[in-house]
Amino acid sequence: MPLDPEAKASLEKRIEMGVLEPHESSPEEARALQAARPNLPGPEMASVSDHLAPGPHGDVPVRVYVPVTDDAGPLPVSMWFHGGGWVIGSVESNDATARALAKASGAIIVSVDYRLAPEHRFPIPFDDSYAATVWTAENAASLGGDPSRLAVAGASAGGNLSTTIALRARDENGPRLVHQSLIYPVTDRDFTRPSYKENGEGYGLSYASMVWFFDCYLSSEADASNPYVAPILAEDLSGLPPAFVLTCEYDPLRDEGEAYAKRLQEAGVPTRLSRYDGMIHAFYNAGIPFSRTWDAINETAGEMQKAFGTA
């Protein structure tokens, strides 16, 4: 399918403005550039509150979004892990997306401000994310949530953290998760996949930036084969929560996301794959939305509601 007109216009605007790709700048410069981008505000919530979850590397900031709802009982809860190659991104940059997902799903969203690489390499962002998930499971009731209906969700590097947290929770008998929403997730460090060759330059997220992100994130070469970095390399994916995997046609991460969905299905994990033809990486952003952003958020919310029993 041809490139979506809104995606095409966005890419052309980036070129006209001379926007640097992440690997062309320092982590600090890349973060500053993201923070300077104007974002649309998200929908109003019943409440938004900031908390600190204890973790092995110090407290982890989390922001809890409680949607306006007619549901009188405890609400289902989903973690949200932002994207940005483990180097860029924050609770602030994902505020509109977290709000939109909370409103669409009717669930409490707990957005995690995990520490960023390269200042904090693997396993620190991963440990932070798991600690926040454990804290949420333990404190869901006090937040107005139902700890028996807890999910994980995230985009790109956040999709990676979502499914690796699900792996760790299974391996360590941690929080029981009922669903995982993986939005164009990173699932390995294989740069030879066809989608890297087809979409590795000119579509927003580049091959060079993905190499740079991994170079920033990994503490050693051995980490590249660790299933908590590359979940597609896990020997056994059985026993994981049902999954929704979203991919984009013009995204270097397309093939690894779809390969991971297939591996989940082969392991007996109920998994639904949805490819957005014509779309590019990072379109799942309610702060800078395309028209189809809302389709993707609503589709994710629908899959979450099925898992929560609220559809």
Side-chain angles (χ1 to χ4, degrees):
M1 177 177 179
L3 191 62
D4 179 271
E6 289 180 313
K8 184 174 184 291
S10 175
L11 293 171
E12 290 173 348
K13 184 176 181 180
R14 287 172 58 90
I15 294 171
E16 290 173 6
M17 295 175 62
V19 176
L20 295 177
E21 294 188 29
H23 72 278
E24 296 174 321
S25 59
S26 68
E28 295 82 5
E29 290 169 336
R31 294 166 194 157
L33 178 64
Q34 183 187 67
R37 293 174 189 162
N39 284 275
L40 296 177
E44 290 295 321
M45 296 284 102
S47 69
V48 178
S49 56
D50 292 323
H51 305 264
L52 293 173
H57 310 288
D59 290 342
V60 183
V62 299
R63 182 167 294 174
V64 178
Y65 298 84
V66 181
V68 176
T69 175
D70 295 330
D71 190 339
L75 299 177
V77 184
S78 179
M79 310 302 296
W80 176 257
F81 304 105
H82 66 77
W86 310 280
V87 176
I88 309 166
S90 66
V91 164
E92 294 296 341
S93 70
N94 274 238
D95 182 75
T97 302
R99 287 172 180 266
L101 191 56
K103 179 180 179 180
S105 66
I108 294 171
I109 300 296
V110 180
S111 184
V112 182
D113 221 6
Y114 56 87
R115 290 168 176 83
L116 299 176
E119 297 91 339
H120 306 282
R121 295 175 180 270
F122 177 81
I124 294 176
F126 171 69
D127 287 343
D128 280 356
S129 300
Y130 186 73
T133 305
V134 171
W135 177 87
T136 300
E138 294 173 347
N139 292 275
S142 67
L143 301 173
D146 179 357
S148 71
R149 292 185 292 168
L150 175 63
V152 290
S156 195
N160 171 273
L161 291 169
S162 296
T163 200
T164 54
I165 293 310
L167 273 170
R168 183 170 175 180
R170 179 202 66 179
D171 295 345
E172 299 183 3
N173 294 315
R176 180 181 175 274
L177 304 173
V178 300
H179 189 69
Q180 51 180 327
S181 293
L182 313 179
I183 312 304
Y184 36 71
V186 180
T187 67
D188 67 7
R189 195 189 61 167
D190 182 356
F191 302 128
T192 67
R193 295 183 184 277
S195 58
Y196 263 102
K197 297 176 181 178
E198 296 167 8
N199 309 312
E201 188 172 348
Y203 295 102
L205 176 64
S206 69
Y207 169 99
S209 286
M210 280 305 303
V211 171
W212 183 75
F213 284 139
F214 269 107
D215 287 346
C216 288
Y217 184 48
L218 302 185
S219 295
S220 70
E221 181 62 26
D223 290 338
S225 57
N226 186 326
Y228 290 156
V229 170
I232 202 167
L233 300 181
E235 291 185 10
D236 180 14
L237 294 178
S238 64
L240 292 176
F244 170 62
V245 181
L246 183 151
T247 62
C248 302
E249 181 180 7
Y250 294 96
D251 182 358
L253 304 186
R254 182 195 67 209
D255 290 353
E256 64 196 77
E258 295 179 0
Y260 189 64
K262 182 178 180 181
R263 280 223 49 210
L264 287 170
Q265 292 167 342
E266 291 170 346
V269 176
T271 301
R272 181 166 170 267
L273 171 65
S274 179
R275 181 196 282 194
Y276 276 64
D277 287 331
M279 291 310 302
I280 58 174
H281 191 85
F283 88 103
Y284 198 100
N285 183 345
I288 314 174
F290 299 151
S291 297
R292 296 190 69 195
T293 301
W294 309 118
D295 296 335
I297 289 174
N298 289 331
E299 185 175 18
T300 307
E303 293 299 315
M304 291 169 62
Q305 288 173 329
K306 291 176 187 176
F308 293 143
T310 56

